[in-house]
Amino acid sequence: MPLPFLTADRVFEAADDVPLPYDDRDRWRRPYRPGPWRVAVAALALLLASFVLFAAVIIAATAEPTSAGIVFALALLVIAAALRLLRMGVWVSARGLRHVGFLTTRTAPWAQVVSVRTVQQPVRWLGLPRTVQGQALLLGRQGAGGMPPLMTTHNADFLGRAVAFDRAADSVEAWAEEYGPR
């Protein structure tokens, strides 16, 4: 009994010229995975939101609908904050480089990018005011003054993962080299 799905000599029906989903250079993508600290905090926030949603259901069944609506809105706010926390980071595409913060998003077209480089400097530990010695990926733009670092070795994505930081910084620098101004 032949098993055509296990043989190497069968002809594939799929067209070979169709690009794979990860080959689409026009889509915004993060060139690294979110770090364990960021994912853990977002997971705890979503766990808290589930308890708040459960409380909203109990309040809706036993008390006034307006108070249940307020608690439900609070749960939606926590969910939105957790999702935004997961979205934070550096995103690249053929159009430019995007730095997504919790409240702000800055996009730099590749034509404005002068340099993307890794430097040794004091960096903030998990975004807190305390600084430690580490590495930071800095973006140099035309006509822009001092910008905050794109990512550091001590942020929520790379704390304790120096090799992951090096790979991510190399990837962003490669995108800048490929699409930046000549």
Side-chain angles (χ1 to χ4, degrees), residues 12-122:
F12 292 105
E13 291 87 22
D16 290 336
D17 60 346
V18 177
L20 296 172
Y22 58 85
D23 283 340
D24 187 11
R25 301 292 226 173
D26 290 329
R27 290 186 58 192
W28 289 101
R29 71 182 70 208
R30 185 184 349 219
Y32 58 91
R33 285 186 242 159
W37 288 93
R38 185 176 310 281
V39 172
V41 169
L44 288 175
L46 290 173
L47 182 66
L48 172 70
S50 70
F51 287 121
V52 174
L53 282 172
F54 185 66
V57 169
I58 291 174
I59 291 172
T62 60
E64 297 178 14
T66 57
S67 57
I70 292 171
V71 174
F72 183 72
L74 177 67
L76 289 179
L77 184 69
V78 171
I79 291 170
L83 293 177
R84 185 65 182 185
L85 184 68
L86 288 174
R87 182 115 172 106
M88 289 173 58
V90 177
W91 296 76
V92 292
S93 80
R95 292 177 293 215
L97 186 136
R98 182 173 284 173
H99 183 233
V100 178
F102 191 73
L103 296 175
T104 61
T105 299
R106 294 183 193 94
T107 302
W110 290 120
Q112 291 181 359
V113 174
V114 174
S115 67
V116 177
R117 57 189 163 77
T118 304
V119 296
Q120 187 84 20
Q121 69 177 30

Side-chain angles (χ1 to χ4, degrees), residues 37 153-154 158-162:
W37 288 93
T153 53
H154 290 79
F158 302 109
L159 185 65
R161 299 173 55 215

Side-chain angles (χ1 to χ4, degrees), residues 30-32 38 89-91 99 116-119 121 123 134-139 148-155 157-158 164-173:
R30 185 184 349 219
Y32 58 91
R38 185 176 310 281
V90 177
W91 296 76
H99 183 233
V116 177
R117 57 189 163 77
T118 304
V119 296
Q121 69 177 30
V123 296
Q135 291 182 337
L137 185 70
L138 298 179
L139 170 69
L150 295 174
M151 55 188 177
T152 67
T153 53
H154 290 79
N155 69 3
D157 288 324
F158 302 109
F165 173 80
D166 291 337
R167 271 194 318 250
D170 290 344
S171 177
V172 173
E173 288 171 356

